[in-house]
Amino acid sequence: MSDLPRDLAEETVRSRRRFRSLSACKKSNDLPAKLTAEMLSSSPVKPMRIFPSASKKLNTLSSSTMVDLPIDLAEEVFSRLPLTSLRGARCTCKKWNYTLTKDETFFKKHIGEQAAASTAVVMVMEFRVYLMALNLHEDPSITCQGKLTSLDNSDRVDISLVYHCDGLLLCISKDSARFVVWNPYTSQTLWLEPPTPHPRLDLYSYAIGYVEEDSKSSCRRSYKILRFVDPLSNEFVEYEIYDLSSNSWRVLDVTSDWHIRSYARGVSLKGNTYWFARERYPAKPRFGEPYEVADFLICFNFTTERFGPRLPLPFHTGFECTVTLSSVREEQLAVLFQLDNSLHMEIWVSTKIEPQEVSLNKLFLVVNMEPFLDFQFGISQGSFFIDEENRVVVVFDKDTGMGFTRNIAYVIGEGGYFRQVDLGESIEYHRPFGCSYVPSLAQIKQ
């Protein structure tokens, strides 16, 4: 509540349904005096009795209620609020709730611009989901904007994996027994359980994507979830897809000559998901020749519900190399490649990305990590983020190759630039996960 403007905080206090205490309203000075005066002069309501408050500024402005202000002035207030403060405004008034969650014109004009001007990252640490703000200038910092608490009983839900697509998060519980599709901005959630039992639910891979129904509106996209298990042994193969628009599961018929490791994390781009994969049945090498396995990218097209052809990489990997995927504004694919024997690291960015064709010919960063670290970034469940403006990459990992006592963000750039940002104590083996986040009005059908 401390981020709400004065009049908005006052009206929120007045709502008995949501707020029973006035103690939350301690700071309310986000609006300029000129704008406040304009709001007061435009309000048609008669003076009301003063509500006692811990904030003197609230008491002086209680002669007006913001729900009666012209909508353009109310929108000006919302545009000045941090994203993390808008939930309280939505709970106060149905008209505000519509403006903030369904009015695409307002969203694109104000919320979209606000999000684009800052760098927000959704992070999973110690099985909790956080919204973090990144400052990657000369003295980098990563500050917590708050724990994301829209999930029902969130304090009792351990989240191990998160997948991001178009402002939606697909969150997998620690025990893999259930998962939820969640829009943190609108607070919509949809809890799901696996349709079929399996003794090793942790071996399943997940992806979330969409079918474009109207290219001009994210509110008119049909979202789907892919869930599959396909080990090298072929002992149990299952591909299933869930359609949020029809609330139904279907089994897909997939026969693959490639293999995606269960810990490999796919990345959603333009509604489709991409993975790093390897040849399932490599040819046996001749005597004296090295044993090599073809590696490439594979895309699942959520419109056709089919996997596409093998997409080439600009490098070749060994079995112990690190290959991690990320996205750039959900428009470009970024690939982190690190050798296991020399700690040489490369970051590649796509110049073209389609289910049938990918061009990874932009080398964003090349760096030898040996002067800075004595261990390789994790080959499983890794994550990173690139900042094109500051020409740096942020890799989320642990503090050492062994021990795992702290969660660390490693900020790496050109010319030997290297910084570490401590994200806090770690008591879990899982590495911290981070992905860029931009809010959206994507609707989850209940």
Side-chain angles (χ1 to χ4, degrees):
M1 287 284 293
S2 62
D3 292 315
L4 296 178
R6 291 176 288 186
D7 291 339
L8 182 54
E10 181 192 56
E11 177 58 28
T12 305
V13 169
R14 294 180 62 250
S15 178
R16 295 182 180 179
R17 294 174 299 168
R18 295 287 179 181
F19 303 99
R20 298 176 181 270
S21 172
L22 302 178
S23 61
C25 299
K26 296 180 179 179
K27 297 179 182 179
S28 309
N29 57 356
D30 288 343
L31 289 182
K34 184 178 180 180
L35 179 58
T36 302
E38 183 180 358
M39 289 179 175
L40 293 174
S41 64
S42 302
S43 178
V45 300
K46 297 180 179 180
M48 302 173 61
R49 71 179 181 88
I50 295 178
F51 284 81
S53 169
S55 171
K56 294 181 179 179
K57 293 178 180 178
L58 288 185
N59 289 331
T60 62
L61 296 175
S62 58
S63 61
S64 177
T65 173
M66 208 179 136
V67 292
D68 295 303
L69 290 173
I71 189 62
D72 56 335
L73 291 179
E75 290 181 1
E76 180 66 20
V77 172
F78 300 143
S79 69
R80 294 170 182 263
L81 286 174
L83 294 177
T84 52
S85 297
L86 293 177
R87 190 183 182 194
R90 294 200 304 268
C91 295
T92 305
C93 171
K94 289 183 178 180
K95 183 169 64 174
W96 294 352
N97 184 59
Y98 176 85
T99 298
L100 292 170
T101 61
K102 295 184 180 180
D103 189 331
E104 293 188 56
T105 301
F106 166 77
F107 184 87
K108 292 178 180 178
K109 180 180 179 181
H110 295 298
I111 307 302
E113 291 179 358
Q114 185 182 143
S118 60
T119 303
V121 174
V122 167
M123 293 203 66
V124 182
M125 295 185 293
E126 311 302 298
F127 302 112
R128 290 293 180 266
V129 185
Y130 301 89
L131 181 65
M132 313 291 279
L134 273 64
N135 175 14
L136 300 177
H137 296 286
E138 184 175 347
D139 186 17
S141 63
I142 301 177
T143 56
C144 180
Q145 301 297 294
K147 185 191 298 184
L148 298 179
T149 58
S150 297
L151 295 180
D152 295 337
N153 302 319
S154 61
D155 288 337
R156 295 188 292 274
V157 177
D158 287 339
I159 300 297
S160 61
L161 299 172
V162 168
Y163 303 88
H164 176 248
C165 172
D166 192 35
L168 297 182
L169 302 181
L170 173 61
C171 305
I172 313 300
S173 65
K174 181 180 178 181
D175 59 6
S176 303
R178 55 180 176 158
F179 41 97
V180 59
V181 183
W182 173 29
N183 186 331
Y185 176 72
T186 65
S187 300
Q188 288 182 306
T189 60
L190 178 64
W191 284 95
L192 300 169
E193 294 184 358
T196 56
H198 188 274
R200 290 295 306 276
L201 291 173
D202 59 307
L203 295 180
Y204 277 79
S205 297
Y206 296 84
I208 180 170
Y210 60 80
V211 176
E212 197 81 70
E213 297 180 354
D214 184 346
S215 60
K216 297 181 180 180
S217 172
S218 63
C219 296
R220 297 178 179 86
R221 290 170 175 167
S222 176
Y223 296 91
K224 300 179 181 181
I225 297 170
L226 176 68
R227 174 178 178 266
F228 65 92
V229 58
D230 192 353
L232 277 172
S233 61
N234 289 121
E235 58 187 22
F236 181 81
V237 177
E238 185 174 63
Y239 287 81
E240 300 169 307
I241 195 164
Y242 180 84
D243 192 327
L244 273 69
S245 61
S246 62
N247 190 29
S248 61
W249 286 96
R250 286 180 289 107
V251 176
L252 300 181
D253 183 15
V254 177
T255 301
S256 64
D257 59 357
W258 38 260
H259 176 244
I260 298 172
R261 291 188 178 184
S262 60
Y263 57 72
R265 190 186 299 271
V267 170
S268 175
L269 281 168
K270 302 178 182 178
N272 304 309
T273 300
Y274 297 79
W275 284 272
F276 171 72
R278 286 192 172 99
E279 175 76 52
R280 181 182 289 272
Y281 308 110
K284 186 176 180 179
R286 296 178 181 179
F287 180 77
E289 293 182 350
Y291 183 77
E292 293 186 351
V293 179
D295 45 20
F296 38 83
L297 298 177
I298 285 289
C299 174
F300 182 80
N301 188 323
F302 277 89
T303 300
T304 63
E305 297 185 354
R306 292 288 184 269
F307 285 92
R310 301 180 180 189
L311 305 171
L313 290 165
F315 50 79
H316 178 64
T317 70
F319 282 103
E320 299 302 321
C321 293
T322 297
V323 179
T324 306
L325 307 186
S326 183
S327 66
V328 184
R329 302 182 307 278
E330 291 195 56
E331 298 175 356
Q332 297 171 284
L333 181 69
V335 182
L336 183 154
F337 166 57
Q338 187 177 28
L339 292 170
D340 59 325
N341 54 3
S342 68
L343 302 187
H344 172 86
M345 186 177 74
E346 300 174 356
I347 307 293
W348 294 83
V349 177
S350 66
T351 54
K352 182 177 183 180
I353 182 78
E354 299 293 343
Q356 304 290 324
E357 182 180 359
V358 171
S359 296
L360 281 165
N361 51 22
K362 180 181 178 181
L363 189 56
F364 179 79
L365 181 67
V366 180
V367 61
N368 177 19
M369 294 302 298
E370 281 189 317
F372 312 113
L373 299 173
D374 59 359
F375 65 94
Q376 174 187 357
F377 290 128
I379 63 175
S380 64
Q381 302 297 350
S383 62
F384 72 99
F385 170 87
I386 71 170
D387 186 316
E388 292 182 296
E389 179 183 354
N390 294 293
R391 297 291 300 175
V392 297
V393 57
V394 182
V395 182
F396 302 101
D397 211 299
K398 299 292 186 177
D399 54 342
T400 62
M402 301 292 290
F404 304 137
T405 60
R406 311 291 297 181
N407 292 315
I408 302 292
Y410 297 94
V411 186
I412 308 159
E414 299 172 328
Y417 182 86
F418 179 78
R419 300 288 189 277
Q420 298 185 44
V421 179
D422 192 330
L423 301 176
E425 182 182 7
S426 173
I427 59 175
E428 298 289 347
Y429 173 78
H430 285 70
R431 290 179 170 84
F433 168 77
C435 68
S436 59
Y437 171 73
V438 177
S440 80
L441 294 179
Q443 300 297 302
I444 302 175
K445 185 177 179 179
Q446 303 296 312

